[in-house]
Amino acid sequence: MSLLKVEDLGEIDYKEAWDYQEEKHQQIVSQKLENNKLSPGEQHKTTDYLLFCEHPHVYTLGKSGEEQNLLIQENYLKSIGATFYKINRGGDITYHGPGQIVGYPIIDLEHFKLSVKEYVYLLEASIINTLSKYNIKANRLEGATGVWLDTDKPGKSRKICAIGVRISRYVSMHGYALNVSTDLDYFKHINPCGFIDKGVTSMEKELGEKVNMDDVKKHLVKELNKLLER
């Protein structure tokens, strides 16, 4: 049984998905505040969500990010069919686009007795475990969030999944972006996550073959549920 209500939003405009996340987040926070006024027997359990989607080409800059990590001018964005948003998650700049699985867990961390650090660690673990199903050996990189390959080889480290979250009243939003069949050329227009000396990759680039997105999503749900159950 899934601990999370999974919704696949398909391809959706970034702002539309962001607004939807805010709506779900506010519902959970409002119910938590209401529960604080009630006896344990009267309280209503909130729902924890995992939203999947793909976005049209878009660059997003986290609240602690540096705008100079976007290496192109706004008029050039239009010529490559991309948009740009400053948003309220942690982290620096990243790219979203077709062929990338974006996962937005909207979870009450208090349900699972998780600190923010433990939650991010658990998200990374769910990606690492999913990639292992495809014989892709991934890991964490010290000093950087997300999921990386060849972290022990100087100059060869490359990111396959970006992670950036926002936690308010112990409820999460935003999440991760796993490159499956992503057009990696779009990363050339940014310093991904603020790094100038690290590469990016995708599952299909590493495997040299097509990957079924729906199968990857099933693994992601299963692995995240398993970790939350612990």
Side-chain angles (χ1 to χ4, degrees), residues 37-229:
K37 303 172 193 169
L38 302 171
S39 67
E42 296 174 307
Q43 293 177 2
H44 295 278
K45 187 177 185 300
T46 55
T47 302
D48 295 301
Y49 293 90
L50 174 55
L51 309 178
F52 283 128
C53 63
E54 280 181 81
H55 294 305
H57 304 296
V58 60
Y59 297 99
T60 67
L61 182 71
K63 60 189 178 191
S64 56
E66 301 285 343
E67 205 160 330
Q68 62 261 32
N69 285 321
L70 177 66
L71 306 176
I72 53 178
Q73 300 298 316
E74 200 149 330
N75 57 352
Y76 188 74
L77 280 172
K78 290 174 187 164
S79 75
I80 59 171
T83 52
F84 172 68
Y85 288 98
K86 292 180 184 175
I87 63 171
N88 58 355
R89 61 160 170 78
D92 208 288
I93 198 163
T94 196
Y95 160 77
H96 299 309
Q100 186 185 67
I101 294 175
V102 179
Y104 294 132
I106 306 175
I107 292 175
D108 183 353
L109 302 191
E110 290 183 315
H111 279 171
F112 305 102
K113 298 180 173 60
L114 290 169
S115 68
V116 175
K117 189 175 180 182
E118 287 167 336
Y119 169 64
V120 172
Y121 195 86
L122 184 142
L123 278 190
E124 290 168 340
S126 73
I127 308 293
I128 291 166
N129 295 348
T130 294
L131 291 170
S132 73
K133 307 292 181 195
Y134 295 85
N135 295 314
I136 297 173
K137 189 174 185 299
N139 219 317
R140 296 177 181 85
L141 182 66
E142 193 172 342
T145 54
V147 176
W148 301 75
L149 308 188
D150 287 336
T151 55
D152 56 341
K153 297 176 184 172
K156 294 284 180 71
S157 298
R158 54 207 184 278
K159 180 176 268 194
I160 196 166
C161 182
I163 291 178
V165 302
R166 174 179 176 245
I167 312 293
S168 173
R169 294 189 181 271
Y170 291 101
V171 180
S172 68
M173 60 179 288
H174 299 296
Y176 59 79
L178 174 62
N179 298 329
V180 180
S181 58
T182 319
D183 181 350
L184 300 175
D185 281 346
Y186 276 81
F187 284 97
K188 292 176 182 174
H189 304 307
I190 60 173
N191 293 324
C193 302
F195 291 105
I196 58 172
D197 60 343
K198 306 272 191 303
V200 288
T201 190
S202 69
M203 292 178 71
E204 289 194 358
K205 183 176 182 183
E206 296 300 319
L207 296 170
E209 62 187 36
K210 284 279 182 198
V211 176
N212 184 296
M213 299 267 281
D214 288 334
D215 288 345
V216 179
K217 287 174 191 172
K218 284 173 190 166
H219 286 303
L220 289 166
V221 173
K222 189 175 178 183
E223 293 304 323
L224 187 52
N225 268 306
K226 275 200 297 196
L227 290 160
L228 288 170
E229 278 172 356

